[in-house]
Amino acid sequence: MYISVRDRPAGGTTRGSSSTRPPVGRVVITLGIVSLLTDVSSESVSAILPLYLTAVVGLTPVAYGLIDGLYQGVSALVRLGGGWLADASDRPKWVAFLGYGLSAVARVFLLFASGAAGIAAVVTADRIGKGIRTAPRDAMISTATPTEHLGRAFGVHRMLDTIGAALGPLIAFGLLVVVPDGYSVVLVVSLAFALAGVALLGLLGPDVRARRDRDASSGPTPPPFRWRDLTDRRLRPLLAVAGVLGLLTISDGFIYLALLDHGGVNVAWFPLFYVGTNVAYLLLAVPIGRLADRVGRARTLVVGHLALVGAYLCAVLPTSTAAATVGTLLLLGTFYAATDGVIAAIAGRLVPVQARSSGIAAAQTVVALARMLASAGFGVLWLLLGPTAAMATVAALLALAVLAAATRIPRLDGAAVTT
Amino acid sequence: MSTRARVLVFIAVVVAIAVAATVYVVDQGREVRAERAAEPEAEQTPIAEVTDGPRIVFRHTGLDSQYGVVAVVPLDDPGGPRAFTGVSCNRVAARPDGASCLISNDGVAASYEGVELDADWQQVASNDLPGIPSRTRLSPDGTLVATTVFVAGHSYMSTGFSTATEVHEFGDGERWGNLEKFQLVVDGREVNPVDRNVWGVTFVDDNTFYATVATGGRTWLVEGDLAERTLTSVSQDAECPSLSPDGTRVAFKVDVDPGRRVEWQIAVQDLATGERTLLEAGPRGLDDQVEWLDDDTLIYGMPRADEPGVTDTWAVDTTPDAAPQLLIEQAWSATVVR
């Protein structure tokens, strides 16, 4: 993989340059490493949290469930707030810093929290931090990258992020081997990674500011952010497409459960499903991002959902267990590579420059809410029809939705973008 | 600050963090190893001394060489010397002729195991469990085993978590499967909610049991019937029931602050009259399946706030104003073998 950590050449020299591939900007690499460090921190904790809460803190069913639920749901709610704050202040770096900082501080309190209420508060703070930081960070990547390389830039960022997510559990369980029952050791090391990430962003993170940067160039100063910017005619079709496809995107947990139901797969493999999907995702994030830049990002986003259709079918079709497992995880990783960073890349350019963070946050929130609804609805379908028929039904509906969404691709990929 | 200065400050910060974390890891590693090499503080007795009479079986939680090992004390001297069995369990339940022991093997591919042991603590059967151990109980004559675990990846539920509770015959016999598949009858009506969870079985005999069913954010005390494969609601707001030795009363946890927070207290319900007694002076915020010491006393585990990993077993009378008393130090998951 070729990644250069040089500053992006100033003044559009890349376009005419004879080099085949311009370097990825320092902004993207720095933010990617911040995400990597933070993901090592958060994923090492989530890997051990269930064990820690049940075996050490002594919590059991409902208390654990309450905390787990918070862990899943909280961040979507504050995402729009973080986006708005970044746009209104034109200080995405420091809003992101606030988010990363809040999560790091939460780690400190996790060391001392005992009992359900304390731990629930800490977990909530951590997730609020994640919600605040995501959109401003993506807006910085968007602002710092030339439009034609956005897909690859987000691919590089998501790859680094996913490397952190894959390393976190390995580090956590490695530490537990070195220090038996050393949950506090995992929490302290997790805190160390979080602090390193916060320090990197604070000290070396670029202070990318869409409005100020525009001001410095010759063009007119953009007006301050208004909520009206979010109803931009260009953004609406993206929100509609993302919402409809999201309604047929069930959570990974179901797909993995269907795989288990496939027969012959030992439950002990369950955690490795996540690892397998992550590895596929991190390997494909950059190539698919580059592909998106060439063939159209909206096209990649929409067609990428066919990989999800494939994953649904692969998990339940009567093939060999090995083929089903490898195929499902590979297709699921492909789906994430074609959608997660790509949608941020699209959303950031479909709103006026002063609303970039909010636009990205809006798209991500629509996706998150639609997927929550999808999983709730699929739970009913699973019980009514059983896993195979339920998955096949959703696969068929999603294939139809992809066809319908495909009619919007020209409008999205052809839309005038803000640079 | 110039970029160069920032880079230097960043390097200094990272080095400081790395050194501090490494020192802590090495130091903790040494401390834990020293702890785990130490002899238990609690007095010990040979296992033969306690295997015949009425006794209490529990998981020892002293941070020493016997951490997590199942221990036994005589019923008439719970605070006295304990005998170690050599078997490690996260959760344990025992009857005169055998025990059920739930184990978690941590790791990137963590695995969970339910093991059945005979009266001499020798393994007679072993099954894979689909998640982290939470509860286990045996039927009064020891022929049935119930296990509850948290299932990984089930967190799509509205409540955000999922349990799997199964019943099978001791020593790998007949299996009734996940109790979620049983027909649920709430207030006389057959219902089929998708988000149901079942946990905390307590057996009446080899067909009938009580358990908790949760759905839609509420919990029910249910009476289960293995032959009919049904769960029938008895009353609302009850978790992790435990049947008294004389079979007349059920003790369970009640969330006395039903809002965002969970604050459990113990309540006891008379099965004949339905009358419920809240142990107001009893423990607040306990999270355990209580066990009956005798027909008037309950025991339960509580983690020590200041010592992570260490738990004590407490006893409390079944009257509203009874205050808890420490019964066995460094003990968790206790069952009474009569």
Side-chain angles (χ1 to χ4, degrees), chain A residues 26 37 50-52 54-66 68-70 72 93 111 114 116-117 120 124 169-170 173 175-185 188-189 191-193 195-197 199-205 251-254 257 266-272 274-275 375-376 379-380 382-383, chain B residues 1 3 6-7 9-11 13-14 17-18 20-21 24-25 28-29 32-33 36 59 67 90-91 104 106-112 128-135 148 150-156 158-161 163 192-194 196 199 214 219 239-240 253 259-262 264 287-288 303-305 308-311 332:
Chain A
R26 188 171 69 89
L37 293 168
L51 284 168
Y52 176 69
T54 52
V56 177
V57 181
L59 298 182
T60 30
V62 168
Y64 169 58
L66 184 82
D68 199 46
L70 286 173
Q72 312 294 334
K93 171 180 171 175
L111 269 170
S114 64
T124 309
L170 293 176
F173 288 110
L175 286 169
L176 286 185
V177 170
V178 179
V179 185
D181 292 305
Y183 296 102
S184 69
V185 166
V188 165
V189 170
L191 173 64
F193 275 100
L195 289 176
L200 177 59
L201 177 64
L203 287 165
L204 298 175
S251 81
D252 297 359
F254 280 117
L257 287 173
N266 190 313
V267 287
W269 289 93
F270 204 93
L272 291 184
Y274 291 92
V275 177
S375 287
V380 180
W382 175 291
L383 192 78
Chain B
M1 236 192 308
T3 306
R6 284 163 187 267
V7 170
V9 172
F10 173 68
I11 291 171
V13 168
V14 168
I17 293 171
Y24 183 80
V25 171
Q28 280 290 303
V32 169
R33 258 169 249 284
R36 296 299 157 85
R59 165 181 155 101
Y67 182 74
N90 287 42
R91 280 273 168 184
S104 75
D106 305 353
V108 174
S111 63
Y112 311 100
D128 284 342
L129 295 173
I132 299 171
S134 172
R135 311 276 188 240
T148 299
F150 297 114
V151 183
H154 261 215
S155 55
Y156 54 82
S158 55
T159 45
F161 80 105
T163 55
N192 235 344
V194 62
R196 83 186 85 172
W199 66 82
T219 59
E239 290 176 51
C240 284
K253 295 188 304 175
R260 270 181 60 77
R261 284 186 52 176
V262 176
W264 285 295
D287 190 359
D288 192 17
R304 283 189 196 171
V310 183
T311 49
W332 179 244

Side-chain angles (χ1 to χ4, degrees), chain B residues 225-296:
Chain B
D225 187 309
L226 289 177
E228 302 284 332
R229 295 182 68 84
T230 54
L231 301 171
T232 309
S233 70
V234 176
S235 62
Q236 213 175 314
D237 296 328
E239 290 176 51
C240 284
S242 179
L243 185 68
S244 65
D246 63 12
T248 60
R249 296 195 291 170
V250 174
F252 43 77
K253 295 188 304 175
V254 179
D255 183 3
V256 291
D257 182 12
R260 270 181 60 77
R261 284 186 52 176
V262 176
E263 179 83 54
W264 285 295
Q265 282 187 281
I266 301 176
V268 176
Q269 183 164 324
D270 189 306
L271 285 168
T273 65
E275 190 191 339
R276 199 177 265 209
T277 310
L278 188 64
L279 307 193
E280 282 165 39
R284 280 189 94 90
L286 93 153
D287 190 359
D288 192 17
Q289 183 166 19
V290 299
E291 165 81 353
W292 293 77
L293 187 66
D294 54 48
D295 283 325
D296 303 303

